[in-house]
């Protein structure tokens, strides 16, 4: 059965002009050269210290780039891109279309692309109107639960701005970084964390054994030490920012035991 969900928390930026790709290639964590009309790209825009600022899914439409981004932070990202643009021949504009999640079906209109972060999230569509009018409504809770179970962060809901290092956000597991593309903002520290150090903290999907976990709850070890915090939750599942030394547990939040998936 085809299911469709309008993602009101997402919005679209359009980049046009001959320097669009070269501008983004020097900024983002992934390799824009792998982008095509058949393949979308997930990437981050980081601080020079390698910490999360923005994330995006990039889609090609003709010669233009469409950025599938957080709606609330869209103006901030547009201003940031304008700052980096300098004299590049790039037009950065608002695109009024909407982002949709489409499971088990095809779109009748709009720009459709496989979610590059995980195959379980199926297809996304950028469209001005309902791209699959005959589809059933996908429950937001069902989408959230699937996203969380597979460790896919949802922008600044899960990633702390200017605090979390990119590799702590599950970026490598959800296809959000290239270690062969060359320079990008924050590249030096990101590469160093990959090749020279061991991650001590990271986003991890967990499942409760009884009561549903709540976003913002502190996670404690069996000895009462702080192990991390829940960033987002849906049903029995949560995405937690966790000290990996405590991953093998026992762990609990608000008195409820949590287990790694």
């Amino acid at each position: 059965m085809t299911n469709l969900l309008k993602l009101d928390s997402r919005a679209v930026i359009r980049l046009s002009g001959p320097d669009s790709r070269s501008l983004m290639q020097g900024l983002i964590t992934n390799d824009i050269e792998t982008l095509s009309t058949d393949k979308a790209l997930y990437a981050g825009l980081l601080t020079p210290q390698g910490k999360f600022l923005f994330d995006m899914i990039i889609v090609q439409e003709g010669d233009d780039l469409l950025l599938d981004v957080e709606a609330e932070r869209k103006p901030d990202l547009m201003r940031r891109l304008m700052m980096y643009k300098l004299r590049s021949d790039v037009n950065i504009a608002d695109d009024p279309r909407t982002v949709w999640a489409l499971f088990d079906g095809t779109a009748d209109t709009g720009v459709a692309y496989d979610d590059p972060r995980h195959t379980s999230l199926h297809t996304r569509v950028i469209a001005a109107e309902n791209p699959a009018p005959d589809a059933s409504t996908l429950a937001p809770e069902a989408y959230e639960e699937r996203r969380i179970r597979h460790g896919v962060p949802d922008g600044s809901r899960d990633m702390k701005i200017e605090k979390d290092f990119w590799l702590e956000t599950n970026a490598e597991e959800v296809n959000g970084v290239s270690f062969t593309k060359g320079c990008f903002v924050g590249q030096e520290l990101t590469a160093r964390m990959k090749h020279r150090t061991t991650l001590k903290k990271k986003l991890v999907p967990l499942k409760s054994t009884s009561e549903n976990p709540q976003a913002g709850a502190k996670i404690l070890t069996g000895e009462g030490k702080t192990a991390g915090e829940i960033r987002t939750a849906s049903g029995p599942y949560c995405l937690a920012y966790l000290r990996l030394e405590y991953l093998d547990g026992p762990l609990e939040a608000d008195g409820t035991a949590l287990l790694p998936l």
Side-chain angles (χ1 to χ4, degrees), residues 42-60:
Y42 178 61
L45 177 58
L46 312 181
T47 69
Q49 294 76 33
K51 295 183 178 182
F52 165 75
L53 270 180
F54 302 94
D55 72 337
M56 64 196 77
I57 297 175
I58 306 177
V59 188
Q60 181 175 318

Side-chain angles (χ1 to χ4, degrees), residues 71-259:
E72 286 189 357
R73 304 189 64 227
K74 175 179 175 178
D76 293 338
L77 176 53
M78 291 180 72
R79 283 191 290 269
R80 179 73 57 158
L81 293 174
M82 288 296 297
M83 181 185 74
Y84 280 120
K85 172 188 169 182
L86 299 176
R87 296 184 180 180
S88 299
D89 189 356
V90 180
N91 182 52
I92 301 167
D94 174 76
D95 189 305
R97 289 177 291 180
T98 303
V99 182
W100 308 72
L102 179 65
F103 284 11
D104 299 314
T106 57
D108 296 337
T109 186
V111 181
Y113 46 101
D114 293 337
D115 193 314
R117 300 169 299 175
H118 200 283
T119 56
S120 71
L121 296 179
H122 292 243
T123 304
R124 290 166 86 89
V125 186
I126 293 174
E129 58 189 27
N130 187 330
D134 296 330
S136 300
T137 300
L138 174 65
E141 297 82 6
Y143 178 84
E144 276 287 279
E145 188 173 295
R146 184 174 294 203
R147 174 187 70 77
I148 289 169
R149 280 195 294 113
H150 292 95
V152 178
D154 183 27
S156 57
R157 293 176 64 209
D158 288 301
M159 301 181 281
K160 296 292 186 182
I161 301 167
E162 298 188 50
K163 292 187 180 296
D164 294 349
F165 289 104
W166 188 233
L167 295 188
E168 294 178 337
T169 70
N170 241 11
E172 190 170 2
E173 288 77 5
V174 297
N175 306 311
V177 61
S178 168
F179 295 105
T180 59
K181 62 163 282 188
C183 294
F184 57 84
V185 178
Q187 182 266 339
E188 184 176 353
L189 197 140
T190 302
R192 188 181 306 152
M193 289 188 73
K194 167 67 174 175
H195 298 296
R196 299 185 185 177
T197 63
T198 301
L199 286 178
K200 296 181 179 180
K201 305 174 189 176
K202 189 179 176 183
L203 288 177
V204 176
L206 303 173
K207 183 180 181 180
S208 71
T209 59
S210 55
E211 297 296 320
N212 290 343
Q214 299 298 313
K218 296 295 181 184
I219 299 174
L220 303 176
T221 69
E223 299 175 345
K225 296 180 180 178
T226 299
E229 65 178 0
I230 296 174
R231 295 282 172 86
T232 53
S234 183
Y237 301 97
C238 64
L239 195 55
Y241 185 66
L242 192 71
R243 295 188 66 89
L244 296 179
E245 63 185 288
Y246 300 128
L247 183 58
D248 292 333
L251 299 170
E252 61 94 6
D254 293 333
T256 298
L258 298 172
L259 300 173

